[in-house]
Amino acid sequence: MTHIDINDTNGTPESVETRLFINGEFRPASDGKTFGLINPFTRESIAEVAQATEEDSNNAVAAAKAAFPAWRDLSPAQRGAYLHKLAALIREHNDEFAQLEALSTGKPVSRYFDAAAGADTFSYFAEAGWTVQGTSSLNTPGHFNMTLKQPYGVVACIIPWNVPMAFFAFKIAPALAAGNTVVLKSSEKAPLTSAFAAKLIAKVGFPPGVVNILSGFGTPAGSTLASHMDVRCLTFTGSSFTGQRIQAAAAASNMKIVHMELGGKSPALIFEDADLENAAAATQFSIQCLSGQTCMANSRIYVQESVAEKFLALFKEKFGGASLGNPLDEATTHGPQVDQLQYERVKSYIGIGEQEGKLTLGGDAKDGYFIKPTVFENVPEDSRIVKEEVFGPVVVINTFKTEEEAIEKANATEFGLYASVFTKDLDRAVRASKLLEAGTVGVNTTSPNVAKDMPFGGYKMSGIGREGFMHSLDNFLETKTILIKMSS
């Protein structure tokens, strides 16, 4: 098994794990196969990572199932003690996590927030187990009735490559706090931070089988989890296409509960009375952040005609000022696309935009996998670059005349993850927020800004269910009613 070395904050070399973590042990894939991981900046091989088989996935589920009764029966404080220790270790190793993501996904270390967000999530859910409460009722004559909230058992978590450590925590922490055991599959594009987190889980001393970490591909590892009869709940963040396949597999197997946060084509509406400086700064950061590789990036901007020229000038000045370069360099704010496949995908959409609209900024950097911050204008609303998720630093900016037109254009999509309204008119902000078909609406702000204690998720094809500090725990709990007849 190939290992790579990185330096921790003290400059000490530390070996990075690339094996599977099943039942408290690190092991190669059952058939010995690995897959190569390429640094998207240098385009050189950096690691050979264990490729989980169907057998490995089944073994991980079996380990989680065996570990479940003992983990379920711990008190919230006992389970929380493990989560607190893990949160502390994640914070301690923030720089290693940042370096690993720069190496494997091209994310600039200057923009790395995943580990901090993940640590905060583990810290919150370390205490949240106490909020698992049922209800009671004396409303049925002669009966004392109650409800219980109980864990499902084995929960499968499938996470994306763009902010993997944040999603690692968003999925695992509430599932564990609720008393479930977990099998997590990392993305084949970003397996190193999940494997490194598995080392910290082993260091904390979680009971074997409570957390299992697989690396590999959607088939067979992910598909095995989606169709496994012993997986009772599955949580997934990724593309809408993959979400449809997971939902079909879940329904065809044991009707497991599925929670999904999927793709987006998020609109931002800029009205003539908006603070244009703020609107330009916020919206350009949203689409430029992580080189546009976020599901809630505002990849469509609609500007009222009367201020379009002024807004565009401000937007392009800020958007075009991104610093492209080595993700390990603190001065870099814009890294490459995650791999050649994603780079070619974004280029194909740029080609569509050039044919159907007007390219007014950026395009292919013609330097490895880099795409410049890119603006298209005057694109027909039925164009694929307007309708489909590009997942790159590419934004379409069109204009509108009236509020009604803006909302109609914003809602003309099958996605509904995030939408934004920039205006100083409170009445307009409330009207638009009510009518926009999105799980989150920002007023004078936009993605990636979210509130940790508010529910996050999507309308339409952008997902099923909601996540958040105050909401995720219920995703991993069954509700049971108990009827007790009292003797007269």
Side-chain angles (χ1 to χ4, degrees), residues 1 17-22 25-35 48-57 59 213-217 220-221:
M1 186 65 60
E17 186 58 68
T18 56
R19 294 173 294 180
L20 311 176
F21 184 65
I22 300 174
E25 298 177 344
F26 289 98
R27 60 178 75 171
S30 57
D31 61 1
K33 287 186 178 180
T34 62
F35 62 94
E48 290 291 326
V49 182
Q51 182 175 323
T53 64
E54 181 178 353
E55 179 182 346
D56 294 321
S57 302
N59 288 341
I213 311 295
L214 303 175
S215 50
F217 295 86

Side-chain angles (χ1 to χ4, degrees), residues 94-178:
N94 178 82
D95 289 354
E96 290 98 316
F97 282 112
Q99 291 172 27
L100 288 171
E101 284 308 323
L103 289 170
S104 58
T105 68
K107 181 185 298 182
V109 294
S110 67
R111 293 285 172 85
Y112 188 75
F113 65 90
D114 302 32
D120 287 349
T121 300
F122 277 110
S123 290
Y124 172 81
F125 284 104
E127 302 290 340
W130 293 106
T131 67
V132 177
Q133 300 283 323
T135 61
S136 61
S137 170
L138 294 172
N139 291 331
T140 302
H143 288 73
F144 171 66
N145 301 330
M146 69 179 74
T147 63
L148 302 179
K149 296 283 189 177
Q150 295 182 293
Y152 284 99
V154 179
V155 170
C157 308
I158 302 177
I159 61 173
W161 50 264
N162 55 347
V163 278
M165 265 309 293
F167 284 110
F168 182 98
F170 294 164
K171 307 297 189 186
I172 287 182
L176 294 180

Side-chain angles (χ1 to χ4, degrees), residues 61 65 68 151-156 180-181 225-226 228-235 250 253-259 475-476 478:
V61 173
K65 184 178 180 180
F68 169 64
Y152 284 99
V154 179
V155 170
N180 302 279
T181 52
L225 296 177
H228 204 293
M229 295 297 291
D230 287 334
V231 172
R232 297 299 174 184
C233 176
L234 187 150
T235 176
S253 53
N254 60 352
M255 291 291 289
K256 57 179 62 66
I257 297 297
V258 177
H259 304 285
N475 291 342
F476 302 107
E478 284 274 28

Side-chain angles (χ1 to χ4, degrees), residues 271 403 407 421 423-436 441 443:
F271 287 93
E403 180 180 321
I407 292 171
V421 181
T423 179
K424 294 176 183 176
D425 184 333
L426 180 59
D427 289 341
R428 174 185 286 148
V430 172
R431 285 194 304 270
S433 296
K434 176 184 176 181
L435 294 174
L436 286 167
V441 177
V443 176

Side-chain angles (χ1 to χ4, degrees), residues 63-83:
K65 184 178 180 180
F68 169 64
W71 182 256
R72 172 199 61 201
D73 292 340
L74 294 179
S75 72
Q78 290 171 315
R79 291 194 293 264
Y82 292 100
L83 303 187

